[in-house]
Amino acid sequence: AVENLDKLDEIVPQVRALGARHTAYGVEDRDYETVGEALLWTLEKALSREFTAPTRQAWATVYNLLAETMKEGGRQSAEAVAMNVKK
């Protein structure tokens, strides 16, 4: 996903589908916050001084964009399932 940020229109459907699968696995919205914190902590430890404030902000922004897109995909999937159950 990071390598294709210049092609957001192309990857958004894939990221939404990934979110739908994660929802099916039992991932909840609050889990994305935990993963985001772990990602930033890991990058900080691995990159040390190279993990500057602007770098941290860039990664946080990218992660939040991807996480929100995945959560949206999960909600859409849950809504589709609920609609089919009502039929």
Side-chain angles (χ1 to χ4, degrees), residues 19 22-39 63-64 67-68 70-71:
H22 276 65
T23 297
Y25 305 147
V27 174
E28 298 179 7
D29 282 1
R30 68 176 183 256
D31 298 324
Y32 288 93
E33 184 177 329
T34 303
V35 171
E37 290 171 7
L39 172 66
Y63 176 77
N64 286 331
E68 288 303 316
M70 288 177 69
K71 288 190 276 188

Side-chain angles (χ1 to χ4, degrees), residues 1-3 10 12 21-23 30 36 42 48 51 53 59 66 72 78 81:
V2 172
E3 291 178 5
E10 293 177 26
V12 163
R21 288 194 303 274
H22 276 65
T23 297
R30 68 176 183 256
T42 301
S48 189
F51 196 63
W59 273 102
L66 295 173
E72 181 181 312
V81 167

